[in-house]
Amino acid sequence: NWMLYRAQRKLAATCERQGVRLTLFHGRGGTLGRGGGPANRAILAQPPESVRGRIKLTEQGEVISSRYANRDIAHRHLEQLVSAVLLTSGRRPEYSRQSERNATMDSLGDTAYRKYRSLVEKPEFIPYFHEATPIDHIDALNIGSRPSRRDATQDIGDLRAIPWVFAWTQTRVNLPGWYGVGSAVEGWIDGPEQEERLAELRGMYQEWPFFRTVLDNVQLGVAKADMDIASLYAQLAEDDVRSAVYDDIRAEFERTLAGLLTITQADGLLQDEVWLRRSIRVRNPYVDPMNLVQIALLRKLRNNPDAPEAEEWREAVLLAVNGIATGLQNTG
């Protein structure tokens, strides 16, 4: 997010110098790991000089359905988009401490990046991903406009973004939407200037639309995650693989949760989004049983891949994938 923000500012400055009118084309996925989240806030969080009355965006199929299938909701959503573009394009005051806090964001981004890479580059990570998520079954779904992999390998580098996020959504981890944030916050605050640095992050959250939007999206990703359900998927993996990967994920989840509550000074996640907290609380009990069914079927297939009923089990796994995606209102 931070690299995108800086790139947009540089593009805007370059176009300004050359007398070119800039229109940025934003691709927005449904999930947070692929640029999802409230569109109104996302536009307000853009660098003001990158909008100036013009913005273009594409939205994923599942988002189109939820936002435009109902005439009244579509009207309201379009009003929010227009409102955000107008507000961003007006005489919005420049964030007063932008330049001095670039270094803070550089440090946070670098720490989060290194933490994320340290997970996905573990030798146990790829086995865990295939053993503890339904990715191999998602590959068999006839959805999307392109194959789920660029090349026929098991390497995550060849996996496209949608199935990558889809697998973590199914297991209720939502890893791409928050992993690394906890280590970034903890690493920045730790040290002799702890109080000053914490005050700085709290000030950024209160005053800077970009930083607030990023952290609020992380809050949403953490709130939608369910690490108890995720731990059941983790048990599908071999013991050494599970301890190397899942224990790391769980610890980073706790760090991220603690960091969010420390910065927002809230008693719980989404404290100001009562309707959203209620929506998650009401929805989850209906989705949980489908996760349990999917886990049981994956275990059966793992233990008896050549059983006479194996094909029926595979079909049932795909039905569970669809059910969970519908219940969570997210694929990838």
Side-chain angles (χ1 to χ4, degrees):
N1 273 282
W2 176 235
M3 291 296 99
L4 287 168
Y5 187 92
R6 295 196 70 169
Q8 289 176 78
R9 297 204 80 177
K10 290 178 180 178
L11 281 168
T14 301
C15 289
E16 180 76 17
R17 286 196 303 271
Q18 302 300 323
V20 174
R21 193 174 185 188
L22 173 68
T23 303
L24 284 171
F25 189 1
H26 297 262
R28 292 178 54 79
T31 51
L32 299 170
R34 292 188 58 250
N40 177 277
R41 297 180 193 178
I43 295 171
L44 290 173
Q46 304 302 311
E49 66 270 30
S50 74
V51 181
R52 294 185 176 173
R54 297 166 65 87
I55 194 168
K56 184 177 180 181
L57 55 90
T58 180
E59 296 188 282
Q60 192 175 314
E62 64 180 358
V63 177
I64 291 172
S65 175
S66 64
R67 288 180 176 166
Y68 302 102
N70 178 283
R71 184 184 183 90
D72 292 335
I73 292 175
H75 188 204
R76 178 174 179 270
H77 178 64
L78 289 171
E79 281 186 335
Q80 289 181 325
L81 294 180
V82 172
S83 168
V85 171
L86 290 173
L87 288 171
T88 301
S89 305
R91 297 180 63 84
R92 195 174 85 182
E94 174 70 4
Y95 176 49
S96 60
R97 299 183 64 186
Q98 172 78 71
S99 57
E100 64 188 86
R101 285 178 173 169
N102 284 350
T104 301
M105 285 305 305
D106 286 342
S107 177
L108 289 168
D110 182 60
T111 304
Y113 173 79
R114 285 188 282 107
K115 177 62 178 174
Y116 194 91
R117 297 309 306 175
S118 74
L119 176 71
V120 300
E121 290 172 3
K122 284 185 177 183
E124 299 91 351
F125 184 80
I126 292 176
Y128 180 89
F129 186 56
H130 286 278
E131 291 173 15
T133 80
I135 182 60
D136 296 329
H137 298 274
I138 291 171
D139 281 349
L141 280 171
N142 294 318
I143 60 172
S145 57
R146 296 170 291 181
S148 61
R149 293 179 182 276
R150 295 175 181 85
D151 293 303
T153 73
Q154 297 299 298
D155 192 275
I156 59 168
D158 291 321
L159 193 66
R160 294 190 189 276
I162 290 177
W164 164 251
V165 176
F166 201 166
W168 293 114
T169 303
Q170 286 282 305
T171 57
R172 310 288 286 277
V173 179
N174 297 335
L175 181 137
W178 55 263
Y179 188 90
V181 174
S183 289
V185 171
E186 188 179 86
W188 173 252
I189 293 175
D190 252 3
E193 300 175 343
Q194 184 170 347
E195 291 301 319
E196 293 85 347
R197 290 191 166 199
L198 176 55
E200 181 179 6
L201 294 183
R202 285 174 173 171
M204 289 164 64
Y205 182 74
Q206 293 296 325
E207 301 164 17
W208 189 11
F210 166 78
F211 190 68
R212 188 180 187 94
T213 298
V214 169
L215 280 200
D216 284 349
N217 282 341
V218 173
Q219 275 200 75
L220 184 54
V222 171
K224 284 187 170 183
D226 187 321
M227 297 310 288
D228 291 331
I229 295 287
S231 70
L232 300 178
Y233 280 94
Q235 290 172 23
L236 295 169
E238 298 292 333
D239 290 348
D240 56 335
V241 171
R242 179 174 64 250
S243 61
V245 178
Y246 176 74
D247 292 354
D248 185 329
I249 292 172
R250 185 78 190 229
E252 183 63 13
F253 179 86
E254 299 298 339
R255 271 191 293 269
T256 301
L257 175 60
L260 288 170
L261 297 181
T262 299
I263 293 171
T264 61
Q265 303 179 77
D267 297 326
L269 295 170
L270 305 175
Q271 184 168 283
D272 298 329
E273 304 278 1
V274 178
W275 67 273
L276 189 51
R277 280 192 289 116
R278 183 179 182 279
S279 172
I280 295 170
R281 187 174 66 250
V282 169
R283 179 187 63 209
N284 282 358
Y286 295 92
V287 180
D288 294 349
M290 286 187 283
N291 283 112
L292 300 179
V293 168
Q294 188 183 80
I295 292 165
L297 290 166
L298 291 171
R299 184 172 286 112
K300 279 188 173 185
L301 282 166
R302 185 79 43 78
N303 296 333
N304 301 284
D306 299 318
E309 305 93 340
E311 197 54 43
E312 292 180 5
W313 295 343
R314 290 188 184 93
E315 185 177 341
V317 168
L318 296 183
L319 288 172
V321 167
N322 279 308
I324 293 166
T326 302
L328 296 177
Q329 299 177 349
N330 281 128
T331 55

